[in-house]
């Protein structure tokens, strides 16, 4: 099925971003009073999202909650557009992310610096979210969402406005990008270190917050459910230490360089070399 079940009333589906499987996953909590989406992804994937919901007998009008781990476009870009089709939906986002959902101008500007003319095909429309439809999350929160008790914790490190969602009944933690990226069936766990927010000390604390829930499953936006959370995080932090040391080494080696291009080339070559030994081309 397009929407495999993770537990009773908990599903997920692949947004097939740019036609490729296994890159962006959306979680779904379903109850008698409607459904919640965890990280709806970008607007460029809305046709896939609608089709996946339809397979389970839902439409976008059944959405009552949109749970955002953070506001990066691959996680949250479709939110404003979706709200037009989901008149009863509320958006949960960390308080630091609220202003960028209400006025996404700065978000679009910084993403455009990265993606240039690929913005439209990658992400589609990035529409503002009405402030009155947002519930801001602080350090911790909890409540009943789509028939499930859900706990929310502030988990910065990847981004300063990142939160994670814990569903104790199914022992699943929806952790956005705090557990890195691990493709379906893969073993390589890659850090997701988006400038300028990456903070390894904060990320360590967030890792401990998530593991304190003692989850059975980590649900990664990139990609899907992963068991053995402690082993997974050990792999992430091994990789993080390796990358941190590589960065430090390139800074020492190229201390006199006038720009970062040589450092970037060396770091990229090292990482690609390392990856080709552990993952398929």
């Amino acid at each position: 099925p397009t929407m495999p079940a993770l537990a009773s009333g908990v599903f997920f589906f692949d947004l097939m971003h740019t036609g490729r499987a296994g890159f962006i996953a959306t979680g779904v909590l379903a109850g008698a009073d409607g459904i919640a989406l965890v990280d709806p992804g970008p607007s460029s994937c809305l046709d896939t999202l609608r089709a996946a919901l339809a397979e389970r007998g839902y439409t976008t009008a059944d959405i009552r909650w949109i749970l955002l781990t953070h506001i990066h476009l691959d996680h949250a870009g479709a939110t404003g557009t979706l709200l037009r089709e989901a008149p009863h939906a509320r958006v949960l986002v960390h308080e630091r992310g609220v202003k960028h959902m209400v006025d996404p101008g700065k978000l679009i500007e910084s993403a455009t610096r990265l993606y240039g003319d690929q913005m439209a095909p990658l992400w589609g429309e990035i529409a503002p979210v009405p402030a009155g439809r947002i519930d801001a999350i602080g350090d911790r929160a909890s409540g009943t969402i789509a028939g499930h008790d859900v706990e929310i914790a502030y988990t910065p490190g990847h981004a300063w406005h990142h939160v994670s969602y814990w569903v104790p009944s199914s022992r699943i933690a929806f952790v956005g990008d705090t557990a890195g990226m691990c493709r379906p069936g893969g073993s390589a766990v890659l850090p997701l270190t988006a400038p300028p927010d990456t903070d390894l000390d904060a990320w360590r604390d967030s890792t401990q917050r998530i593991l304190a829930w003692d989850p059975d499953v980590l649900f990664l936006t990139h990609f899907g459910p992963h068991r053995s959370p402690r082993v997974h995080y050990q792999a992430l932090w091994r990789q993080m230490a390796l990358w941190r040391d590589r960065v430090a080494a390139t800074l020492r080696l190229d201390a006199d360089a006038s720009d970062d291009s040589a450092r970037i080339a060396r770091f990229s070559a090292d990482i690609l070399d390392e990856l080709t030994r552990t993952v398929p081309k």
Side-chain angles (χ1 to χ4, degrees):
T2 310
M3 269 224 289
L6 292 170
S8 177
V10 187
F11 313 100
F12 78 100
F13 57 90
D14 188 337
L15 284 172
M16 294 297 295
H17 186 238
T18 65
R20 297 187 303 169
F23 281 95
I24 305 180
T26 294
V28 183
L29 304 179
D33 50 354
I35 59 174
L37 300 185
V38 185
D39 286 350
S43 296
S44 53
C45 299
L46 278 176
D47 285 346
T48 306
L49 185 150
R50 292 185 195 102
L53 291 180
E55 189 177 292
R56 289 270 179 186
Y58 299 111
T59 72
T60 48
D62 295 312
I63 300 167
R64 296 293 182 273
W65 298 267
I66 295 175
L67 311 183
L68 301 179
T69 61
H70 60 304
I71 64 169
H72 293 164
L73 299 179
D74 50 333
H75 296 253
T79 307
T81 308
L82 259 181
L83 287 179
R84 293 187 211 129
E85 304 175 28
H88 307 295
R90 308 278 309 160
V91 178
L92 275 65
V93 65
H94 189 260
E95 57 196 12
R96 288 182 178 221
V98 171
K99 65 182 179 186
H100 299 294
M101 297 305 292
V102 174
D103 177 7
K106 257 195 172 145
L107 190 63
I108 293 167
E109 187 188 320
S110 64
T112 303
R113 282 206 300 275
L114 276 176
Y115 300 108
D117 59 6
Q118 289 301 298
M119 282 291 287
L122 281 173
W123 315 123
E125 183 188 27
I126 303 149
V129 172
R133 299 186 65 181
I134 294 175
D135 295 323
I137 305 297
D139 194 54
R140 284 193 184 274
S142 61
T144 304
I145 295 172
H148 300 259
D149 288 337
V150 177
E151 292 178 29
I152 310 166
Y154 178 43
T155 51
H158 168 79
W160 277 112
H161 57 275
H162 199 297
V163 299
S164 298
Y165 298 89
W166 166 235
V167 185
S169 59
S170 54
R171 308 206 63 76
I172 299 169
F174 291 88
V175 296
D177 283 350
T178 65
M181 174 180 191
C182 187
R183 300 291 308 288
S187 57
V189 183
L190 302 185
L192 292 165
T193 50
D197 276 13
T198 303
D199 183 310
L200 299 190
D201 292 333
W203 203 323
R204 278 266 183 211
D205 292 343
S206 295
T207 298
Q208 294 312 315
R209 271 193 135 173
I210 289 164
L211 291 177
W213 282 328
D214 198 20
D216 289 342
V217 175
L218 298 175
F219 187 90
L220 282 54
T221 305
H222 318 290
F223 178 95
H226 288 269
R227 299 188 182 274
S228 309
R230 287 173 197 282
V231 174
H232 181 101
Y233 268 114
Q234 280 170 354
L236 173 72
W237 281 102
R238 265 200 309 274
Q239 201 69 24
M240 201 93 87
L242 209 62
W243 285 18
R244 181 198 59 213
D245 294 346
R246 284 196 195 288
V247 170
T250 65
L251 290 172
R252 284 194 303 273
L253 284 167
D254 302 314
D256 302 326
S258 58
D259 67 35
D260 281 332
S261 56
R263 293 181 184 125
I264 292 166
R266 179 179 279 119
F267 180 80
S268 300
D270 286 348
I271 295 301
L272 281 172
D273 183 49
E274 177 192 304
L275 278 178
T276 50
R277 291 197 291 271
T278 53
V279 300
K281 194 165 187 297

